[in-house]
DNA sequence: GTCTATAGGGAGATAGAC
DNA sequence: GTCTATCTCCCTATAGAC
């Protein structure tokens, strides 16, 4: 019985932890929450992740890898700036609809001064990966005449990233509509 | 000696708590942190704010009152959309430069699911006050031909609010420049 | 890989003296 | 208004049995 599960207990822990993390923040859950959901004792979690910081770093790194894979697949399969933009927005929409989660960057930035150093570094890596993809997408989109903005694509990328990060947060108290309103207006601002 | 301080101990507590709050979040400080900075015992804080939730609500309400006063003063003293916009941005800039604080809305939204109910309601009030002012400023600015956007001013207001909220967060890991880049690009997007 | 047991600390909060 | 003392609970983490 245990054997069936043993091999991927580690990723099960990550799955459960990720749920709590994106909803309540890194400081908003404990090993006991995870252990209870998993049906084991909290001490058992320490076998897989000795310190909570190890779990935190693993969560962020997994997010980064997941995003990089998403970006590769999107670039390969989806053509045109606006379809790609919509696919990107859909990531945030999924967070919002799945229990009012936040995007990982938003959580990480908000708790920045209280998380372990390793997590801060991993957070930087995640943010950078996201902004790099956005920059590439915006640059290609402008060259194709699909999108309009002044200045460097790097700057426009931060605007898009910051706006979506803020929008998914504001939607927590103002509701889903606030998110969609923000996205619609952002799109209008970027249209040529 | 105590008499000199006694009358405004309550606001001293709020001042100290606010510093911790905007830097580390509501769950990132305790009565002991405040008590130590104030030179008293943590039990003494409970006299002024029986439960931590009372302190939390007081922090948010004070922020809202402060913003409303700021808005009245700004509307009376500063003329024109862009000067008002810059004054608004300066609020966030001050957060960033004063120890990489976040804007209160950003903290409140991020910790939304872990803060007391009273704080959630107060958070809603604060966000609403900010968006109402932005909406008024944007509407008047468009009527005067100073700013350009499509659709309702309410929607553009959320975009501006969300972008600044996100920008001040991203600046925690990417640095001050990321904030200013975002603001510059946002301004370009809104220029007629 | 999971268990029990437990250490050690910090949290929020209360009672009652001064 | 501030103190000491104390309670209770939960947290992270470790040691060692199974």
């Amino acid at each position: 019985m245990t054997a069936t599960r043993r091999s991927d207990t580690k990723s099960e822990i990550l799955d459960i932890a990720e749920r709590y993390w994106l909803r309540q923040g890194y400081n908003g859950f404990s090993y006991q929450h995870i252990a209870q959901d998993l049906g084991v004792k909290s001490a058992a979690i320490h076998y897989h992740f000795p310190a909570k910081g190890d779990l935190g770093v693993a969560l962020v790194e997994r997010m980064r890898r997941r995003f990089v894979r998403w970006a590769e697949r999107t670039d390969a399969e989806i053509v045109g700036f606006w379809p790609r933009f919509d696919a990107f927005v859909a990531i945030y929409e999924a967070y919002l609809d799945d229990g009012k989660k936040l995007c990982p960057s938003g959580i990480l930035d908000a708790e920045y001064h209280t998380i372990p150093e390793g997590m801060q570094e991993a957070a930087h890596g995640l943010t950078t990966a996201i902004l790099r993809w956005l920059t590439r997408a915006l640059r290609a989109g402008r060259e194709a005449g699909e999108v309009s903005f002044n200045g460097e694509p790097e700057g426009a990328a931060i605007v898009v990233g910051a706006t979506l990060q803020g929008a998914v947060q504001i939607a927590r108290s103002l509701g889903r509509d606030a998110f969609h309103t923000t996205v619609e207006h952002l799109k209008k601002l970027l249209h040529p």
Side-chain angles (χ1 to χ4, degrees), chain A residues 2-16 34 38 40 44-45 47-49:
Chain A
T2 50
T4 8
R5 199 175 68 192
R6 197 174 290 162
S7 60
D8 56 355
T9 299
K10 198 156 183 169
S11 55
E12 275 191 73
I13 292 171
L14 284 170
D15 290 340
I16 295 168
I34 303 169
L38 201 58
V40 299
I45 314 288
Y47 170 79
H48 300 278
F49 301 98

Side-chain angles (χ1 to χ4, degrees), chain A residues 37 43 65 120 152 169:
Chain A
D37 288 7
R65 288 196 304 272
Q120 293 182 348
E152 298 301 311
Q169 291 176 6

Side-chain angles (χ1 to χ4, degrees), chain A residues 21-192:
Chain A
W21 177 42
L22 298 182
R23 282 182 52 81
Q24 307 176 5
Y26 176 76
N27 297 313
F29 72 91
S30 71
Y31 273 27
Q32 295 187 34
H33 290 103
I34 303 169
Q36 206 153 19
D37 288 7
L38 201 58
V40 299
K41 299 294 169 187
S42 75
I45 314 288
H46 284 281
Y47 170 79
H48 300 278
F49 301 98
K52 197 186 173 185
D54 300 322
L55 172 59
V57 171
L59 284 170
V60 183
E61 295 273 283
R62 191 170 76 151
M63 273 295 183
R64 194 182 51 76
R65 288 196 304 272
R66 194 185 291 164
F67 177 79
V68 170
R69 278 198 306 274
W70 174 90
E72 286 168 356
R73 222 174 345 104
T74 300
D75 287 347
E77 296 175 5
I78 299 184
V79 180
F81 175 77
W82 289 108
R84 284 179 185 170
F85 181 88
D86 288 339
F88 184 71
V89 169
I91 298 175
Y92 292 79
E93 207 170 350
Y95 288 138
L96 186 59
D97 288 342
D98 186 15
K100 289 201 173 188
K101 290 177 182 170
L102 287 198
C103 72
S105 299
I107 290 271
L108 287 164
D109 292 338
E111 296 187 303
Y112 200 76
H113 297 306
T114 66
I115 58 179
E117 215 175 304
M119 275 188 85
Q120 293 182 348
E121 289 161 19
H124 191 273
L126 175 61
T127 303
T128 304
I130 294 170
L131 290 180
R132 266 210 276 264
W133 179 83
L134 269 174
T135 300
R136 282 201 310 273
L138 283 162
R139 181 182 290 118
R142 185 164 64 177
E143 282 168 6
E146 296 173 277
V147 60
S148 162
F149 55 87
N150 292 313
E152 298 301 311
E154 282 81 2
I158 311 187
V159 171
V160 172
T163 306
L164 289 175
Q165 179 166 321
V168 83
Q169 291 176 6
I170 290 177
R172 281 191 155 177
S173 61
L174 295 193
R176 276 189 94 233
D177 286 355
F179 176 79
H180 289 103
T181 304
T182 313
V183 171
E184 284 317 303
H185 275 260
L186 177 62
K187 288 174 83 161
K188 281 176 190 161
L189 286 174
L190 288 168
H191 259 102

